[in-house]
Amino acid sequence: MHKIIIYFYTILDNKSLLYNIILYMSQYKKLTAEELEFCIPIELIKSLRESGVKTFIAGQKRAADALLFGTKLRKPGYNIFVTGNTGTGRHSAINKILEDSKCETPLKDIVCVFNFSNPESPGILYLPAGRAKSFRNSLNNLVTIVRKRIKSRIESDSFKKKRNSIIKSHDNMEKEFLVRFENNLKADGFLLVNSKTEENEMISDIMPAMKGKPIDFDEIQQMVSEGKLSAKDEERIRNDYFKHLDELQELLRKMQHNRIELENRLLEEEKKFIEPVITSEIDDLIAEYRQTDVKKYLTDLKKDILERLYLFIDEEEERGEEEGNIDFYTENEAERYQINILVDNSKAKHAPLIFESYPTFSNLFGTIENRVEHNIEIKTSFMMAKAGSLIKASGGFLILDAESLFQEDNSWEHLKRALKSGEVQMQQPISPFNPSGGFLKPEPVKIDTKIIIIGNENIYDVLYNTDQDFEKFFKVIAEFDSEMDINNDNTKQYISFIDEQIKARNLKPITETGLQAILDFGIRMTGHRKKYSTRFAKILDLLVEVDYWAREAGNNQIDRSAVETAIAKRNYMNNLPEEKLASLIEEGTIKIDVKTNKVGVVNGLAVYDRGFYTFGRPFLVSATVAPGNEGIINIEREAGLSGEIYNKGAMIIEGFLRSFYAKDFPLSLFASICFEQSYGEIEGDSASSTEIFALLSAIAAVPFRQNIAITGSVNQLGQIQPIGGVNEKIEGFYSICEKFGLTGTQGVIIPESNVKNLVLQKNVKEAVKNGVFSIYPIKNINEGITILSGVEAGEISNKGVFPSGTFNHIIEKKLRNLSKKSKNSCR
């Protein structure tokens, strides 16, 4: 039997109130143990498990369809943005869909080559998949063969004979020039003298001769002073000297020109002998590689080899360096005939799939490396070019994390540029030794890469609404849901997923009761009896932990007990703040009463979310009322400790009072509402009904039960609306009641629309079953009033009045009196 509670209202003249007090055992609804009990039947789990099914992407058909559509439609702009909560299997789903994707267009190998006409802009060649290595080997063989055949030709008797003939012809010409010059000198009394400088270099000079021996001008001056030679003869000798000196310069110029002609004739002769060899070898390559860009490269290669034959002739190898032919960007000139393989698809069995976890500019778009020698000299070459992920994924898919992408400066802008042009420009990094960003600028690399960005809904919405280019390039959105409906097909997939993961990770085998407990956990995460959570990362974490504790206990399998043990261990390791808060309540530091009745005070329920652990706790809401026109003052809002949603809920309270009670008189009062002992910011509207109950109790001066805690949002019409965290809130209040001692009268009021969300812990369900704890689902404020006060709330009649003696009649009368007092005080 429930107690009969009678309230005496001495402040009211209406004596009929005593006769309208109702029994505490009124017809309000309490949830039964059967209504709270919910789990997937063992028999169903067993039958679904035996039917067997291999999971594809459990519960994400919509997202899977979008991914398939976006990956198969290789048209410009149909890149994919994948949204959803972390742990919903986004990466796994993408891998499953793409790992066997067939290429819509044939893959290509991409190579970087020396540009013979513009060395600062290396060229890019595209070869059929798997041909880059063979092309590189062919070029290496070409160089080796050409070197051998050139050497063979150069050393042939016919070439040597021709070469010697040319050299002899030019030597004879030089001798003829020299003999003619020396004869002219001798006729004028001069000799050609060769001498060495201090640097041991040979130089030629002209000197006067006496009796066949050279003399210098100092001796001639001495002879003039001694009268052995006239001044006129000295002048003639000097004039002849300068004349022949000019002739000597002209002679040297002719000889230099003759030697240049000799070099050119020898080079031309070499080309005549060697060109057929090179042409034959390169023509064979051109016949094998028919791509236009490759043909042009080989044609340019042939021309370059003929111009640099000294690279292929051993005795002339040093000539290039002597003549300054080594370019600053190459380590050695022979490197110009190598190729740098940027992309090798020789082993590719399906379209490339690359996940770039660190999308820096270099990692995405490629770079040209360099090295510093002797602290000042920068060395680089086309052979040091490195392809980025965009290039490597050409013909396939590149997966990027949105947050990582936008953390890198300019990566997003450059990515859009690449998507627009279909090309990627590799660049040298900017450094103190290379402030301009590089000496080399290769040709842009043409790409056909499908981009898949993984991010959350907020990032997608911001990009869609603020970046005008985003919609052009990402026309497909694949949204991963964090929950899926409970039905046989999804349950079968869930079970199959668990079994697959246990096998893949070599965990202990799981029984049907263990599966049932895991399924319960999946339902509990959604807070909805008809939904499974698709945050499979959380499921995997739990499986690993269950396996650990099962092994620690020496169990050979995972059953329900093992799962419950793992969950209890996890809660124990994470619930220190929960225990601290409970201790403060238990010792009275935080004021919570769970046994008596009080005026203007009710227990609300809040959820503390630490991310990895969530728990509920009661808090005290108090209200005071006095005559005045200030209206309802919400202390949290005035103190700046409330969020926007909370503020909205607080403002609804005044609208409720006006629409429900003060329809024909002005609402005039001075009331304040406070979350007692709350020192942090409050957000959400789930306490709006709690605030109304505290305020109504204060207005009516009717004590409300403290052994019942309340949660629920309310609208201006007094209807109770669903809230989040209902399970944690119920369990939080139950644990406090348990610490103070269960009396059998304690419980919680929740929105009726939240009944479908009840997936409670075992101890709470047992308490309800044993009748020591109650859960009251309500639809409106009136139902809550009846439960909390023990007084009939009272429904308004067709004439717009509440029945006499009902709680609402008391409230209306009190508000009228407050309005009159406020009006009189204004006068």
Side-chain angles (χ1 to χ4, degrees), residues 79-357:
N79 297 294
I80 307 167
F81 197 100
V82 178
T83 67
N85 291 328
T86 302
T88 52
R90 295 174 299 177
H91 291 83
S92 299
I94 292 171
N95 283 329
K96 284 184 178 181
I97 288 175
L98 300 183
E99 63 186 2
D100 296 324
S101 294
K102 295 181 180 179
C103 299
E104 298 296 327
T105 57
L107 292 178
K108 295 180 180 179
D109 288 350
I110 304 175
V111 300
C112 185
V113 297
F114 189 84
N115 188 334
F116 302 108
S117 59
N118 185 8
E120 293 185 10
S121 181
I124 301 295
L125 303 181
Y126 305 89
L127 299 165
R131 297 302 303 276
K133 287 183 177 179
S134 61
F135 186 61
R136 180 178 61 188
N137 294 336
S138 296
L139 285 181
N140 290 339
N141 292 336
L142 172 69
V143 171
T144 301
I145 293 171
V146 167
R147 184 185 296 277
K148 289 181 179 178
R149 296 191 65 180
I150 287 176
K151 185 176 182 181
S152 175
R153 285 269 179 145
I154 294 299
E155 292 178 353
S156 67
D157 292 339
S158 59
F159 178 77
K160 286 181 178 180
K161 183 178 179 181
K162 183 65 176 178
R163 185 174 185 275
N164 291 338
S165 173
I166 294 171
I167 292 173
K168 185 177 181 181
S169 172
H170 281 267
D171 285 348
N172 289 338
M173 191 179 296
E174 284 190 9
K175 287 178 181 179
E176 183 181 340
F177 291 154
L178 191 58
V179 168
R180 187 182 304 126
F181 178 69
E182 287 181 338
N183 287 338
N184 291 337
L185 289 179
K186 189 178 292 185
D188 290 338
F190 288 88
L191 293 175
L192 184 63
V193 179
N194 295 321
S195 62
K196 289 185 178 180
T197 64
E198 292 180 356
E199 290 79 16
N200 205 32
E201 295 180 355
M202 293 296 297
I203 60 172
S204 298
D205 198 4
I206 300 171
M207 296 186 70
M210 293 288 182
K211 298 180 181 180
K213 294 183 178 180
I215 61 173
D216 57 29
F217 281 97
D218 289 338
E219 292 180 85
I220 291 176
Q221 187 67 37
Q222 182 66 32
M223 291 174 66
V224 172
S225 63
E226 293 176 354
K228 296 180 180 180
L229 188 67
S230 66
K232 187 176 182 179
D233 288 337
E234 178 192 10
E235 183 179 1
R236 177 186 57 79
I237 292 172
R238 286 186 181 276
N239 289 337
D240 288 346
Y241 171 77
F242 287 112
K243 181 187 72 172
H244 290 302
L245 191 61
D246 289 341
E247 292 174 351
L248 176 60
Q249 294 299 322
E250 178 63 20
L251 173 63
L252 293 175
R253 187 191 66 76
K254 285 183 178 182
M255 294 179 68
Q256 179 66 25
H257 181 70
N258 184 62
R259 289 173 184 175
I260 292 174
E261 285 187 349
L262 173 61
E263 290 290 337
N264 289 336
R265 285 193 63 187
L266 291 175
L267 183 59
E268 288 299 319
E269 199 62 34
E270 287 177 353
K271 286 183 179 179
K272 287 180 182 179
F273 266 75
I274 294 170
E275 186 170 8
V277 173
I278 299 173
T279 300
S280 173
E281 296 295 333
I282 291 182
D283 284 350
D284 289 344
L285 277 182
I286 291 176
E288 184 177 355
Y289 298 92
R290 300 178 179 276
Q291 292 79 12
T292 303
D293 54 347
V294 177
K295 287 182 179 180
K296 183 180 182 306
Y297 168 74
L298 291 173
T299 301
D300 293 342
L301 173 69
K302 170 186 170 182
K303 181 180 178 182
D304 192 76
I305 290 176
L306 290 172
E307 290 175 353
R308 295 174 181 266
L309 288 175
Y310 57 83
L311 293 174
F312 297 84
I313 304 172
D314 294 339
E315 60 267 28
E316 299 290 342
E317 278 184 341
E318 296 180 359
R319 178 167 51 175
E321 294 186 11
E322 292 173 359
E323 296 179 359
N325 289 323
I326 296 294
D327 298 304
F328 72 90
Y329 44 78
T330 56
E331 184 175 359
N332 59 76
E333 267 199 305
E335 190 179 72
R336 67 200 294 121
Y337 304 124
Q338 298 178 15
I339 67 167
N340 179 6
I341 300 177
L342 300 177
V343 177
D344 176 18
N345 283 312
S346 58
K347 296 182 179 179
K349 296 181 179 179
H350 50 75
L353 176 60
I354 296 177
F355 177 75
E356 181 53 74
S357 58

Side-chain angles (χ1 to χ4, degrees), residues 17 26 42 284 316 494 499 526 658 706:
L17 173 65
S26 300
I42 290 292
D284 289 344
E316 299 290 342
Y494 223 90
D499 283 336
T526 67
R658 187 177 291 109
Q706 304 299 295

Side-chain angles (χ1 to χ4, degrees), residues 30-56:
K30 290 194 297 184
L31 294 177
T32 65
E34 290 74 20
E35 290 175 300
L36 294 179
E37 197 61 49
F38 177 81
C39 62
I40 307 299
I42 290 292
E43 296 77 13
L44 178 61
I45 292 174
K46 185 175 181 180
S47 65
L48 292 176
R49 191 181 198 183
E50 289 174 350
S51 66
V53 62
K54 186 172 179 61
T55 61
F56 177 51

Side-chain angles (χ1 to χ4, degrees), residues 779-798:
K779 297 178 182 178
N780 51 55
I781 289 292
N782 279 351
E783 293 180 8
I785 289 172
T786 303
I787 296 170
L788 291 169
S789 68
V791 179
E792 182 182 0
E795 297 291 337
I796 195 165
S797 68
N798 294 332

